[in-house]
Amino acid sequence: MTNQTMYELGNQPSLIRELFAYGLAQAKVVGPENVFDYTLGNPSIPTPDAVTQAIKDILDDTDSIKIHGYSMAGGFDGTREAIAANLNERYGTDIKASNLFITCGAAPALISVIKGLAVEGAEIMAIAPFFPEYRPFVNNNGAKLVVVPADREHFQIDLAKVEELMTPNTQAIIINSPNNPSGVVYTKETLTALAELLTKKGEEYGHPIYIIADEPYRELVYGGVEVPFIPNIYKNTIVCYSWSKSLSLPGERIGYFLVPDACENAQEVFLAASGAARVNGHVCAPTLPQMVIERCVGEMPNLQAYDDNRTLLYDSLTAMGYRCAKPDGAFYLFVEVPGGDDFGFCMKAKEEHNLLVVPGTGFDCPGYMRLSYCVSNEMIRRSLPAFEKMIADLK
Ligand code: PLP
């Protein structure tokens, strides 16, 4: 006998992983140059040289017992101080090391915060389209996911829908900007209006409604677009961050949650999320990456390769007649599927062209497909005739 919910989660195939595996198998049959894989969000630009150098330096200049030992559950003081100083310099905040808890990436940070906030009957909102893992993260950690339908015009936030779906049980809303899968950055106007709504409803319900800001793509923006720091707009914001994408370190598993002092019940929220981390088996984040972050927290990625891919893909697809919200950040394009049948389109693309794209249904937004453009520019060029043929067949 096993827990059926867990069994089903473990047994449920991930379409993204299946498509990726299909691509690997097909590459052996038709040659890797004839497979166009837009499935995974695995960074394709190398980690900055400063990070590689820091790893070498730490191995040379630090006691190996420290490098491979445990740290405090919330992370090394030095790492947290460096992160706090970096945030304060960039956003004019007053964050302290004690507001930060270092985690094994954004996913465990989210789970800790969600579980920590999950009072009896708690509802947590997510705005479509969203990272599919929010569903198991919320629904299996003591809360219920409430989905706000997508604003299909601009992929900002449909505030009327948010208000309509709120109840006295609404405990938090997850905001992911730059967004996976749309690539859209929520504007300051959108976030300010959301903050006003949450303040109003919080007063009406007699408890704060928290924003959980999921920000692994914070630094991945193009053309100088601003990504507002949400705690500066809404005080009840808890940030979940990761260096998986910004420093191309997804395998190192390093991120944090941040509960600023200004947050209502900050200390209680911080401790509840820390307790939730403990229950989920968190002992400490890996120590070598913590030391690397202490030395490299100010490093910024060189985004030129992603930006070139974004421009090539967006310009080429829109010229063919595809419609797509302008992506200002992350490394995804969320494209309207001609005819609206996202599964049909993705299966035909796979079977006829070895073109692997992910149906929008998985992101709670049917009728679209997600393309991860953290791939080679050359692959994009080679894939364009397949996109052309797909849209021609549907005309
Ligand atoms: N949140 C979003 C929106 C993501 O796209 C991802 C990973 O793709 C994560 C969280 C998890 O990231 P991490 O590797 O930091 O756990």
Side-chain angles (χ1 to χ4, degrees):
M1 282 276 278
T2 53
N3 177 301
Q4 279 309 288
T5 310
M6 295 304 128
Y7 168 76
E8 275 158 29
L9 281 169
N11 193 33
Q12 222 171 52
S14 146
L15 183 57
I16 296 181
R17 298 273 159 186
E18 273 188 352
L19 287 168
F20 174 67
Y22 177 87
L24 291 179
Q26 273 303 90
K28 290 190 186 137
V29 180
V30 298
E33 69 284 5
N34 296 313
V35 175
F36 315 114
D37 183 354
Y38 287 99
T39 56
L40 291 189
N42 215 358
S44 60
I45 57 175
T47 190
D49 288 344
V51 171
T52 311
Q53 191 57 49
I55 295 171
K56 290 179 181 160
D57 291 346
I58 292 164
L59 290 175
D60 284 343
D61 68 26
T62 310
D63 177 3
S64 87
I65 298 291
K66 181 169 180 197
I67 296 175
H68 303 296
Y70 295 119
S71 74
M72 298 290 285
F76 287 125
D77 287 347
T79 308
R80 297 191 296 158
E81 278 155 15
I83 298 165
N86 176 266
L87 291 172
N88 292 338
E89 189 187 319
R90 288 161 70 193
Y91 304 116
T93 44
D94 184 23
I95 293 159
K96 300 182 214 40
S98 57
N99 301 125
L100 290 154
F101 187 105
I102 316 284
T103 60
C104 303
L110 284 163
I111 289 175
S112 301
V113 171
I114 288 164
K115 197 177 179 75
L117 289 178
V119 295
E120 183 77 33
E123 292 170 2
I124 295 187
M125 297 180 134
I127 296 149
F130 58 83
F131 180 50
E133 294 301 283
Y134 292 164
R135 192 178 294 284
F137 289 179
V138 172
N139 288 339
N140 296 286
N141 282 295
K144 183 180 142 212
L145 187 77
V146 174
V147 176
V148 180
D151 152 22
R152 287 171 179 248
E153 193 59 32
H154 305 290
F155 288 99
Q156 293 286 318
I157 302 175
D158 186 336
L159 291 172
K161 288 267 163 44
V162 173
E163 184 161 14
E164 206 177 293
L165 288 164
M166 277 188 161
T167 76
N169 287 330
T170 306
Q171 178 79 341
I173 180 162
I174 304 173
I175 300 293
N176 169 226
S177 171
N179 184 264
N180 173 12
S182 74
V184 163
V185 175
Y186 294 146
T187 63
K188 202 170 190 168
E189 291 69 38
T190 298
L191 294 168
T192 305
L194 176 68
E196 281 164 11
L197 174 64
L198 298 184
T199 305
K200 183 183 90 172
K201 297 302 272 188
E203 278 164 12
E204 184 184 321
Y205 298 147
H207 63 79
I209 301 171
Y210 296 99
I211 285 182
I212 302 172
D214 177 24
E215 305 204 322
Y217 302 97
R218 155 163 293 280
E219 284 80 16
L220 273 61
V221 275
Y222 313 102
V225 166
E226 188 203 358
V227 182
F229 190 60
I230 306 179
N232 285 346
I233 295 177
Y234 184 63
K235 68 173 185 164
N236 291 321
T237 299
I238 303 158
V239 178
C240 296
Y241 183 82
S242 156
W243 284 275
S244 289
K245 318 286 178 173
S246 60
L247 291 181
S248 297
L249 292 174
E252 304 298 342
R253 310 311 303 143
I254 185 88
Y256 62 77
F257 65 75
L258 158 70
V259 186
D261 284 338
C263 223
E264 272 182 65
N265 313 321
Q267 188 62 6
E268 196 184 327
V269 172
F270 187 89
L271 291 176
S274 308
R278 181 178 169 191
V279 166
N280 282 328
H282 171 92
V283 176
C284 64
T287 43
L288 175 58
Q290 287 194 56
M291 293 176 201
V292 172
I293 294 304
E294 182 172 344
R295 298 183 189 204
C296 298
V297 70
E299 284 297 317
M300 286 290 163
N302 178 352
L303 300 174
Q304 198 54 51
Y306 292 153
D307 201 4
D308 291 347
N309 287 356
R310 175 184 77 118
T311 306
L312 173 63
L313 202 53
Y314 179 80
D315 289 354
S316 306
L317 295 193
T318 50
M320 289 175 202
Y322 288 95
R323 282 161 44 97
C324 166
K326 183 100 197 340
D328 287 320
F331 39 49
Y332 306 107
L333 226 63
F334 205 50
V335 183
E336 208 175 303
V337 167
D341 174 9
D342 57 346
F343 265 104
F345 184 98
C346 294
M347 290 310 127
K348 181 173 153 75
K350 171 186 147 192
E351 276 151 28
E352 294 184 6
H353 302 285
N354 291 309
L355 173 62
L356 308 175
V357 296
V358 184
T361 299
F363 304 93
D364 263 62
C365 197
Y368 287 78
M369 58 178 156
R370 187 191 78 172
L371 316 182
S372 295
Y373 57 80
C374 39
V375 295
S376 74
N377 196 266
E378 194 209 331
M379 189 203 90
I380 297 177
R381 284 181 199 285
R382 277 188 280 108
S383 74
L384 294 177
F387 282 109
E388 188 91 65
K389 187 84 180 41
M390 285 296 297
I391 199 166
D393 284 356
L394 285 160
K395 275 183 181 158

